[in-house]
Amino acid sequence: MKKNILDLTKEELEREVSPKFRAKQIFQWIYQKGVEAFEQMSNLPKTLRKELAQKFEIALPKILNVEVSKDGSKKYLLGLADGHTIESVLLPMKKEERDEEGNIVKEAKYTVCVSSQVGCKVGCEFCLTAKGGFVRNLTPGEIVGQVLAIRKDNDIPANRRVNVVYMGMGEPLDNLENVAKAVKIFSDENGLSISPRRQTISTSGLAPKIKKLGDMNLGVLLAISLHAVDDELRQKLMPINKAYNIESVIQAVKEFPIDQRKRVMFEYLMIKNLNDDIKAAKKLVKLLHGIKAKVNLIYFNPYPGSPFQRPEEERVKRFQQYLLDHGVLCTIRESKGLDISAACGQLKEKKSGCAV
Ligand code: SAH
Ligand code: SF4
């Protein structure tokens, strides 16, 4: 079987071609010019094009379905080579603005929420992805391919600013090696040039892997799905807390190398009458003491049969105000794509009967 060339970092590709600079050209063709056949790489010698085509393919995931939300976000159901499906979401962050003559004065900005696994092992109570169990890790090319497929579908030019968040299906740190390669491929200067600072890895808190990620020095942003401030509740919501409790996660964050400009994001799912009171906010402030943190409050998004409820806006605002009053940066995540269940972590195919 042919290898997917999207799985390779430029350094790996350099080992496959001679002279080395051909790897740069191939990267430019694939990632900047969007070419999907080696034959079209006109500045490569014909023999090399043939060799490449014998050995490799340029395999993007297939778009099986797209749901467009009222706010413009789009949820993609993507088919992989072995028939498994994953989901990715395009979130337009800023709309394009034009002057009276139709010239673009402000470019649109996008964030793509990518999956890192088919399913997930972690098994959080509130998460739809967890319901289907774990199937397999995605390869680097399957992660990178999500952005390529979405960019192509929306005619997003290669030089347009795109952020990547690893907040789709799966636990990225449970597939660290492939995710790290994807980070490198995304950020390659001959490719999409998505700087690691525009890539956010979200984790349920695999403490030793947070350390490992730090040691790798990729320069990515870190997001922690915290969701609860005491171990008893967190354990109920996220079984992973039995292995790595809150203290161990906070410790790993404190040891994570961040430069002055960066901060760690803490995602906190607001669940009605469970973790949305001021007592919890107080504890959260204490917990984050000494960390350059930003808290992102997320409304729990209910689905049929879900054991939890969405809190009232007033309670979420009160929680946010408490944090702000106590010097903790805090935003409320806009319910982007809520009508199509495109909120990150909400991704599961409707066909499996768990329609949202
Ligand atoms: N596995 C990683 C990354 C994917 S989940 C992690 O858990 O961090 C991305 C986010 O979506 C997580 O913060 C998760 O808690 C959130 N999420 C999961 N289910 C949700 C739901 N029903 N409503 C709102 N957010 C949810
Ligand atoms: Fe996995 Fe994240 Fe869902 Fe938990 S919230 S089951 S870690 S995808």
Side-chain angles (χ1 to χ4, degrees), residues 180-227:
K181 274 193 187 168
V183 169
K184 284 189 191 147
I185 299 169
F186 276 135
S187 62
D188 198 287
E189 56 177 4
N190 300 119
L192 295 174
S193 292
I194 304 174
S195 135
R197 241 166 282 125
R198 287 196 272 130
Q199 301 186 49
T200 304
I201 293 185
S202 173
T203 177
S204 55
L206 276 61
K209 292 290 181 70
I210 295 173
K211 182 167 183 343
K212 205 164 165 202
L213 177 69
D215 291 344
M216 287 170 122
N217 228 342
L218 294 172
V220 287
L221 299 182
L222 181 66
I224 304 287
S225 291
L226 193 64
H227 308 327

Side-chain angles (χ1 to χ4, degrees), residues 90-94 107-112 147 151 156-164 192-195 197-199 221:
L90 174 69
L91 304 152
M93 305 310 277
K94 273 204 182 106
E107 290 185 337
K109 275 188 192 159
Y110 302 93
T111 293
V112 180
V147 173
R151 208 188 58 175
I156 300 173
N159 59 358
R160 190 61 47 85
R161 192 177 172 144
V162 172
N163 297 325
V164 173
L192 295 174
S193 292
I194 304 174
S195 135
R197 241 166 282 125
R198 287 196 272 130
Q199 301 186 49
L221 299 182

Side-chain angles (χ1 to χ4, degrees), residues 126 167-168 170-171 202-203 225 227 267 269 300-301 344-346:
F126 47 79
M167 292 185 183
E171 165 55 53
S202 173
T203 177
S225 291
H227 308 327
E267 292 157 283
L269 200 58
F300 171 71
N301 201 13
C344 295
Q346 288 269 287

